[in-house]
Amino acid sequence: MSVVGIDLGFLNCYIAVARSGGIETIANEYSDRCTPACISLGSRTRAIGNAAKSQIVTNVRNTIHGFKKLHGRSFDDPIVQTERIRLPYELQKMPNGSAGVKIPSFFTDAERRSVMAAAQVAGLNCLRLMNETTAVALAYGIYKQDLPPLDEKPRNVVFIDMGHSAYQVSVCAFNKGKLKVLATTFDPYLGGRNFDEALVDYFCEEFKTKYKINVKENSRALLRLYQECEKLKKLMSANASDLPLNIECFMNDLDVSSKMNRAQFEQLCASLFIRVEPPLKAVMEQANLQREDISSIEIVGGATRIPAVKEQITKFFLKDISTTLNADEAVARGCALQCAILSPAFKVREFSITDLVPYSITLRWKTSFEDGTGECEVFCKNHPAPFSKVITFHKKEPFELEAFYTNLHEVPYPDPRIGSFTIQNVFPQSDGDSSKVKVKVRVNIHGIFSVASASVIEKQNVEGDHSDAPMETETSFKNESKDDVDKMQVDQEEGGHQKCHAEHTPEEEIDHTGTKTKSAPSDKQDRLNQTIKKGKVKSTDLPIQSSLCRQLGQDLLNSYIENEGKMIMQDKLEKERNDAKNAVEEYVYDFRDKLGTVYEKFITQEDLNKLSAILEDTENWLYEEGEDQPKQIYVDKLQELKKYGQPIQMRYMEHEERPKALNDLGKKIQLVMKVIEAYRNKDERYDHLDPTEVEKVEKYISDAMSWLNSKMNAQNKLSLTQDPVVKVSEIVAKSKELDNFCNPIIYKPKPKVEVAEDKAKANSEHNGPMDGQSGTETKPDTTKDSSQHTKSSGEMEVD
């Protein structure tokens, strides 16, 4: 079972694998651990990663990148329309209104579901969508051996992640084996690409004045300028002196050049650096911490390498920044650790993780009073997650709950909708009263909100039976005036807000006034008509119809999965076709080169001219008619070439390997002949051999020598351009045949001779005990062993 963590970045991706030795960030086919988040679409196949990035300039309209911010958004979303201006390729509106294709902590429900759907299409079993800063915190804390015990004050650490497109800050509290995210803030529109854009705008204006060219009108030139500005930005992070910018054949066959230093860059991006501090200030306020409460500040993300960004962070916290984490790979490593914790295939030390909800979530429903509405904030901002709550409603008919975010003012262009959930099959009770409906809502491990279940509670009174436990105290609203209802709605909001700062449990139960059930009644509740009934309770599950915002339908998702499978198969077939084509091209170039060198002596001039012409015709065919042919055509073409080339290659290989094979066979013949000669000279080592068998060996060796001499003489008469008389395989087979026939005879071991001690032992066995020994003493006590065995067997049977 493979357990991986994937850091899905705006610019690049990293994949970490959990193995028995720890976490390892794996390399791609280019031996690079950083894989560009880029896809290039061709007429027949797709290129992904490094191969796709190399086509950004050459295949502008069909190379897709920068699509992370398009997850879960409609085509008309202001963010999508803003991104369209930056992208060199076109976005098409799909039938369902979607714009297309580790996650940031600020991702909404729709964006998270979109990533889950993408993982499903890719064939991945996603164990958890993890917030980026939480993954970094896990990678930081799980290896720490000096964390305070659970009963002591936690260690507070700030994690700052500024990547290519977004800026996130989290404060986490660590105890031994425990991680709790206290608060998180973000600026989704501040990252490395904003600094790149500032440089691009600056040089576009300079080139417009200096070279009279408008770079932004040429998409290829603009992409090249973006690439060079990104390189220049990285160089300025390590060097404060003037650095050159040179691009050859940039536009209209012009070579352009310029320069910039770090001071100019910081002045140019001053408005961006100012935006670093507000999220830092906000996260400290939300966590109710002071600067002195922070133990360490850890930074990750490529943009945190910019000196001015580090300076802003240091200036705010008045502390040195720690760079112990791998700025690029920490997120992927944390995700892999989380997967290893969740997977049964790995044994990982216990480490609990408590994340949070980045936005407040509110439920709204219709009431029966003059078409009014009720609201309840079920999860406030920075509420622990995963978490679930049970809300009690008193209804006589099916009702709809609308879920939405209520504090998206932090993010420009918000879409607060999550979805609507209709609770069905709700009817009045037998006495006409409203039914008590319990609705369970939750934010799951992925950070996705849902109405998990709903049930109606039916009370069945039992007369004369006082042994049943009393029902919980309930609040009846049937006799309340509209003013009282309005007051109760106010209590909902206040109560919901207060609970967000109270001590949380994995699940809370509240009624729709926003107060917990099974709690002491408040002054307002005392004024309400309360009744306590004794009886049995029956709970019946209710169906829920969900309508989620921008949720992919199952049929559409299945079609995407099917299309992805077809594209994978098409990619495989296209790879096989290209491999077959490349094999033909490689054979042509390789064989032509060897014809002028090592194969030159093994082909006649006439055949050389003929084969050279065939190779040249094949090369021309590859770049003309054979440019785009089916796989089988290339396979047949290669076999046709090998018909001409293999005899030449065979003659060369036979010539190179024949001397060694002949030498090995000759040595074996000589060795056997020496043994036969020693046998004839009465050598005691071989005096046990059978004379008849030795004669057979001698005859076999004579025949082998005759065969070897005849083959060598015949071969010596041939030229190198002729096929050999005997092949190396025949010589090797003859050598093995000689070993199998002669070795068992000439290397037959001598029979063993009995020594005097063995004879004495044999005599003692025939004549009885020696040296006064008693025969009874040496006889084992079989009776005792037998009785013990019997007893033991009996005990086992009893057991």
Side-chain angles (χ1 to χ4, degrees), residues 752-767 770:
K752 293 183 179 180
V753 179
E754 289 185 349
V755 296
E757 188 175 326
D758 293 336
K759 292 181 179 179
K761 183 177 180 181
N763 292 334
S764 66
E765 291 176 356
H766 290 290
N767 299 331
M770 296 178 63

Side-chain angles (χ1 to χ4, degrees), residues 452-591:
S453 63
S455 60
V456 61
I457 307 300
E458 300 178 15
K459 294 170 289 188
Q460 299 175 341
N461 294 331
V462 180
E463 296 181 0
D465 187 0
H466 301 287
S467 62
D468 294 331
M471 288 284 292
E472 61 175 323
T473 302
E474 298 181 357
T475 303
S476 175
F477 299 105
K478 60 183 180 181
N479 297 325
E480 296 304 319
S481 65
K482 184 177 185 302
D483 292 336
D484 288 328
V485 173
D486 292 338
K487 291 178 182 178
M488 285 185 285
Q489 292 176 357
V490 173
D491 292 341
Q492 295 168 15
E493 299 171 2
E494 293 177 355
H497 179 72
Q498 291 168 358
K499 287 193 298 299
C500 292
H501 299 287
E503 183 66 23
H504 296 285
T505 58
E507 181 175 310
E508 287 183 0
E509 183 173 346
I510 61 176
D511 65 15
H512 75 276
T513 63
T515 57
K516 294 182 186 178
T517 60
K518 299 184 182 179
S519 61
S522 63
D523 293 338
K524 294 183 180 179
Q525 289 175 322
D526 289 337
R527 295 196 302 267
L528 299 177
N529 179 26
Q530 299 178 346
T531 59
I532 301 179
K533 298 181 181 180
K534 295 181 180 180
K536 293 184 178 180
V537 175
K538 179 182 178 183
S539 177
T540 305
D541 291 337
L542 300 176
I544 304 171
Q545 182 178 357
S546 302
S547 177
L548 299 172
C549 181
R550 295 186 298 280
Q551 170 77 5
L552 288 177
Q554 190 59 45
D555 292 340
L556 186 60
L557 184 59
N558 290 338
S559 69
Y560 287 166
I561 295 174
E562 182 181 354
N563 289 336
E564 175 64 17
K566 291 178 180 179
M567 286 190 285
I568 291 174
M569 182 58 64
Q570 177 63 29
D571 291 343
K572 181 181 178 181
L573 295 175
E574 184 63 16
K575 183 180 183 300
E576 292 176 355
R577 190 187 74 86
N578 286 328
D579 289 345
K581 179 182 178 182
N582 293 335
V584 176
E585 187 177 29
E586 181 182 359
Y587 190 86
V588 168
Y589 290 138
D590 181 64
F591 210 87

Side-chain angles (χ1 to χ4, degrees), residues 7-24:
D7 176 9
L8 177 62
F10 186 91
L11 191 63
N12 297 306
C13 298
Y14 292 87
I15 300 177
V17 180
R19 291 174 177 158
S20 57
I23 305 298
E24 177 185 353

Side-chain angles (χ1 to χ4, degrees), residues 207-275:
F207 294 160
K208 189 173 184 178
T209 304
K210 188 175 179 180
Y211 298 102
K212 309 301 181 184
I213 56 175
N214 190 345
V215 179
K216 294 188 177 181
E217 291 181 351
N218 189 315
S219 57
R220 285 186 174 86
L222 186 61
L223 283 171
R224 289 187 66 189
L225 183 58
Y226 265 103
Q227 292 174 349
E228 294 300 323
C229 286
E230 183 185 355
K231 295 177 185 177
L232 181 63
K233 177 190 67 178
K234 294 177 180 179
L235 290 173
M236 285 189 292
S237 296
N239 198 326
S241 60
D242 287 344
L243 295 171
L245 175 75
N246 299 312
I247 309 177
E248 295 181 354
C249 298
F250 178 61
M251 185 175 171
N252 301 336
D253 294 329
L254 286 175
D255 299 338
V256 298
S257 63
S258 185
K259 63 180 181 179
M260 180 169 285
N261 57 44
R262 186 189 295 173
Q264 290 177 284
F265 172 69
E266 292 177 354
Q267 184 179 358
L268 186 67
C269 301
S271 60
L272 297 175
F273 294 129
I274 293 175
R275 293 167 60 183

Side-chain angles (χ1 to χ4, degrees), residues 633-658:
I633 298 296
Y634 296 118
V635 173
D636 295 341
K637 181 66 72 172
L638 182 61
Q639 292 301 320
E640 183 182 348
L641 291 176
K642 287 184 176 181
K643 288 181 182 178
Y644 298 99
Q646 279 184 339
I648 304 169
Q649 186 178 11
M650 182 269 292
R651 290 196 288 268
Y652 168 75
M653 297 299 296
E654 291 288 331
H655 177 75
E656 292 293 317
E657 297 176 4
R658 190 184 305 114

